[in-house]
Amino acid sequence: MYSFDSRVRYSEVDQEGFITLASILDYFQDCSFFHSEEQKVGLKFLMEKQIAWVLSSWQVEVKRYPAYGEKIEVSTWAYDFEKFLGYRNFKIENKTGEILAFANSVWVLLDLQKGRPVRILPEMAEAYQLSPRFPMEYGSRKITLSEEMKEQEPFPVHKYHIDTNQHVNNGKYIRMAQEYLPEGFKVGKMRAEYRKAAVHGDVIYPFVAEGEKKIIVNLADEQKAPYAIVELEESE
């Protein structure tokens, strides 16, 4: 397990002074990168090998959103590897050990030159000490699209959406999807399924289905083929 301490910054909170879902995802993503750097299989290693970890799916649950200034500890650990797939858990706790948020994630190791999955290298598997997976209810990696999805105004992929892999960062899709939440909708659970990478210059066509306490957003291309599908469930 890898952990680091932090404090909720003003730049990470919403208008009510609580950390945003997007900031929680940033913490999780940063923690996974710090973990890889600590084990000497970080960005430099990946770039030299011309490979990259690409997120396949997220499942996140927020029990309580920490407030501005609150001290937190962010942790992550790998719990399984399978061919070209890596499985990783996350959690955020406060200083009394209260678990505020937790997550499951599935990653694909991608050959950047060939654009297809590649088997996990032995030195990568050896670098991470596997830990038991977090005791949570694990949902499906696949999200079913509703037949009654309303088309929204398309928008372009901008430069600020792009990460070091030269495609839209996984967290940016969640920010995009949250634009379609009604006022006062507080996300308690989130799932995201990533189908293909959008790059700078692409145009995203959003399709939205609203339920009583759940919203599904399909961020798609012109043919309605998903880049990412995001399911947002309101907290109880």
Side-chain angles (χ1 to χ4, degrees), residues 54-56 145 155-157 167-170 173 176 192-207 217-230:
V54 178
L55 192 60
S56 174
L145 290 173
F155 58 88
V157 172
H167 56 60
V168 175
N169 181 264
N170 66 82
Y173 290 109
M176 294 172 186
E193 178 190 352
Y194 300 93
R195 297 276 187 91
K196 64 175 183 176
V199 299
H200 182 234
D202 284 343
V203 175
I204 292 180
Y205 294 77
F207 298 84
V217 181
N218 177 17
L219 300 165
D221 64 16
E222 191 173 7
Q223 285 72 45
K224 298 185 180 182
Y227 292 113
I229 305 168
V230 181

Side-chain angles (χ1 to χ4, degrees), residues 70-182:
E70 189 167 350
K71 293 181 179 180
I72 58 174
E73 181 183 60
V74 188
S75 302
T76 187
W77 62 96
Y79 66 86
D80 197 12
F81 290 110
E82 182 183 358
K83 295 181 180 178
F84 49 79
L85 296 176
Y87 299 83
R88 180 182 283 277
N89 283 140
F90 299 85
K91 65 178 177 176
I92 294 178
E93 301 172 270
N94 65 8
K95 286 306 176 180
T96 66
E98 176 192 2
I99 295 178
L100 308 176
F102 51 86
N104 182 51
S105 61
V106 182
W107 302 75
V108 176
L109 188 63
L110 195 69
D111 184 314
L112 294 176
Q113 292 183 321
K114 297 179 180 179
R116 63 190 186 199
V118 61
R119 280 186 174 272
I120 295 167
L121 302 177
E123 58 263 47
M124 298 177 73
E126 291 172 6
Y128 301 101
Q129 185 174 355
L130 299 182
S131 299
R133 69 177 190 167
F134 187 79
M136 60 183 284
E137 184 179 342
Y138 287 78
S140 172
R141 290 165 51 195
K142 302 294 182 181
I143 300 174
T144 302
L145 290 173
S146 169
E147 295 182 358
E148 300 179 1
M149 303 196 77
K150 296 181 181 179
E151 186 172 0
Q152 308 294 319
E153 188 72 23
F155 58 88
V157 172
H158 296 288
K159 290 181 180 178
Y160 63 82
H161 292 133
I162 306 301
D163 62 18
T164 58
N165 294 325
Q166 305 305 311
H167 56 60
V168 175
N169 181 264
N170 66 82
K172 296 295 193 295
Y173 290 109
I174 311 305
R175 287 176 168 86
M176 294 172 186
Q178 286 188 280
E179 288 295 312
Y180 304 100
L181 293 177

